[in-house]
Coordinates of all heavy atoms in Angstrom, one line a residue:
V81 N 15.6 9.5 -19.6 CA 14.8 10.6 -20.2 C 15.7 11.4 -21.3 O 15.2 11.7 -22.3 CB 14.2 11.5 -19.2 CG1 13.7 12.8 -19.8 CG2 13.2 10.8 -18.3
T82 N 16.9 11.7 -20.9 CA 17.7 12.5 -21.8 C 18.3 11.7 -23.0 O 18.5 12.3 -24.1 CB 18.9 13.1 -21.0 OG1 19.7 12.1 -20.4 CG2 18.4 14.1 -19.9
K83 N 18.5 10.4 -22.8 CA 19.1 9.6 -23.9 C 18.1 8.7 -24.6 O 18.4 8.1 -25.6 CB 20.2 8.7 -23.4 CG 21.3 9.5 -22.6 CD 22.1 10.3 -23.6 CE 23.3 10.9 -22.8 NZ 24.1 11.8 -23.6
D84 N 16.8 8.7 -24.1 CA 15.8 7.8 -24.7 C 16.2 6.4 -24.8 O 16.0 5.7 -25.8 CB 15.3 8.3 -26.1 CG 14.5 9.6 -26.0 OD1 13.7 9.7 -25.0 OD2 14.5 10.4 -26.9
V85 N 16.8 5.9 -23.7 CA 17.1 4.5 -23.6 C 16.8 4.0 -22.2 O 17.1 4.7 -21.2 CB 18.6 4.3 -24.0 CG1 19.6 5.0 -23.0 CG2 19.0 2.8 -24.0
V86 N 16.2 2.9 -22.1 CA 15.8 2.3 -20.8 C 16.8 1.3 -20.4 O 17.1 0.3 -21.1 CB 14.4 1.7 -20.9 CG1 14.0 1.0 -19.6 CG2 13.3 2.7 -21.2
P87 N 17.4 1.5 -19.2 CA 18.4 0.5 -18.8 C 17.8 -0.9 -18.5 O 16.6 -0.9 -18.1 CB 19.1 1.1 -17.5 CG 18.0 2.1 -17.0 CD 17.2 2.5 -18.2
P88 N 18.6 -1.9 -18.6 CA 18.0 -3.3 -18.4 C 17.9 -3.7 -17.0 O 18.6 -3.1 -16.1 CB 18.9 -4.2 -19.2 CG 20.3 -3.5 -19.0 CD 19.9 -2.0 -19.1
T89 N 17.1 -4.7 -16.7 CA 17.1 -5.5 -15.5 C 18.0 -6.7 -15.8 O 17.6 -7.5 -16.7 CB 15.7 -5.9 -15.1 OG1 14.9 -4.8 -15.0 CG2 15.7 -6.7 -13.8
I90 N 19.1 -6.8 -15.2 CA 20.1 -7.9 -15.5 C 20.1 -9.0 -14.5 O 19.5 -8.8 -13.4 CB 21.5 -7.3 -15.7 CG1 22.1 -6.8 -14.4 CG2 21.6 -6.3 -16.8 CD1 23.6 -6.5 -14.4
N91 N 20.7 -10.1 -14.8 CA 20.9 -11.2 -13.9 C 19.7 -11.9 -13.4 O 19.7 -12.4 -12.3 CB 21.9 -10.8 -12.8 CG 23.2 -10.4 -13.2 OD1 23.7 -10.9 -14.2 ND2 23.8 -9.4 -12.6
V92 N 18.6 -11.8 -14.1 CA 17.4 -12.5 -13.7 C 17.4 -14.0 -14.1 O 17.5 -14.2 -15.3 CB 16.1 -11.8 -14.2 CG1 14.9 -12.6 -13.9 CG2 16.0 -10.4 -13.7
Q93 N 17.5 -14.8 -13.1 CA 17.5 -16.3 -13.4 C 16.2 -16.9 -13.6 O 15.9 -17.8 -14.4 CB 18.3 -17.0 -12.3 CG 19.7 -16.5 -12.1 CD 20.6 -16.7 -13.3 OE1 20.6 -17.7 -13.9 NE2 21.4 -15.6 -13.7
E94 N 15.3 -16.4 -12.7 CA 13.9 -17.0 -12.6 C 13.0 -16.0 -12.1 O 13.3 -15.3 -11.0 CB 13.9 -18.2 -11.8 CG 12.7 -19.0 -11.6 CD 12.8 -20.2 -10.7 OE1 13.9 -20.8 -10.6 OE2 11.8 -20.5 -10.1
L95 N 11.8 -15.7 -12.7 CA 10.8 -14.8 -12.2 C 9.9 -15.5 -11.2 O 9.5 -16.7 -11.4 CB 10.0 -14.2 -13.3 CG 10.7 -13.2 -14.2 CD1 9.7 -12.8 -15.4 CD2 11.1 -12.0 -13.4
D96 N 9.5 -14.8 -10.2 CA 8.5 -15.3 -9.3 C 7.3 -15.6 -10.1 O 6.8 -14.8 -10.9 CB 8.2 -14.2 -8.3 CG 7.3 -14.6 -7.2 OD1 6.2 -15.2 -7.5 OD2 7.6 -14.3 -6.0
P97 N 6.7 -16.8 -9.9 CA 5.5 -17.1 -10.7 C 4.3 -16.2 -10.5 O 3.4 -16.1 -11.3 CB 5.1 -18.5 -10.3 CG 6.0 -18.8 -9.1 CD 7.1 -17.8 -9.0
E98 N 4.3 -15.4 -9.4 CA 3.2 -14.4 -9.2 C 3.4 -13.1 -10.0 O 2.5 -12.3 -10.0 CB 3.1 -14.1 -7.7 CG 2.6 -15.3 -6.9 CD 2.3 -14.9 -5.5 OE1 1.4 -13.9 -5.3 OE2 2.8 -15.4 -4.6
I99 N 4.6 -12.9 -10.6 CA 4.8 -11.7 -11.4 C 4.2 -11.9 -12.7 O 4.3 -12.9 -13.4 CB 6.3 -11.5 -11.6 CG1 7.0 -11.1 -10.2 CG2 6.6 -10.4 -12.6 CD1 8.5 -10.9 -10.3
D100 N 3.4 -10.9 -13.1 CA 2.7 -10.9 -14.4 C 3.7 -10.9 -15.6 O 4.4 -9.9 -15.7 CB 1.8 -9.7 -14.5 CG 0.9 -9.6 -15.7 OD1 1.2 -10.3 -16.7 OD2 -0.1 -8.9 -15.6
P101 N 3.7 -12.0 -16.3 CA 4.7 -12.1 -17.4 C 4.5 -11.1 -18.6 O 5.3 -10.9 -19.4 CB 4.6 -13.5 -17.9 CG 3.2 -13.9 -17.5 CD 2.9 -13.2 -16.3
A102 N 3.3 -10.4 -18.6 CA 3.0 -9.5 -19.7 C 3.6 -8.1 -19.4 O 3.7 -7.3 -20.3 CB 1.5 -9.4 -19.8
L103 N 4.1 -7.9 -18.2 CA 4.8 -6.6 -17.9 C 6.2 -6.6 -18.5 O 6.9 -7.6 -18.6 CB 5.0 -6.5 -16.3 CG 3.7 -6.3 -15.5 CD1 4.0 -6.3 -14.0 CD2 3.0 -5.0 -15.9
N104 N 6.6 -5.5 -19.1 CA 7.9 -5.4 -19.8 C 8.9 -5.0 -18.7 O 9.1 -3.8 -18.4 CB 7.8 -4.3 -20.9 CG 9.1 -4.2 -21.6 OD1 10.1 -4.9 -21.3 ND2 9.2 -3.3 -22.6
L105 N 9.6 -6.0 -18.2 CA 10.6 -5.7 -17.2 C 12.0 -5.4 -17.7 O 13.0 -5.3 -17.0 CB 10.7 -7.0 -16.2 CG 9.4 -7.3 -15.5 CD1 9.6 -8.6 -14.7 CD2 8.9 -6.2 -14.7
T106 N 12.1 -5.2 -19.0 CA 13.3 -4.8 -19.7 C 14.4 -5.7 -19.4 O 15.5 -5.3 -18.9 CB 13.6 -3.3 -19.4 OG1 12.4 -2.5 -19.4 CG2 14.6 -2.7 -20.5

Side-chain angles (χ1 to χ4, degrees):
V81 169
T82 59
K83 304 291 185 182
D84 287 328
V85 62
V86 175
T89 303
I90 64 167
N91 296 328
V92 175
Q93 304 296 315
E94 180 180 333
L95 286 177
D96 185 313
E98 289 190 59
I99 291 176
D100 186 340
L103 293 171
N104 181 359
L105 302 178
T106 320

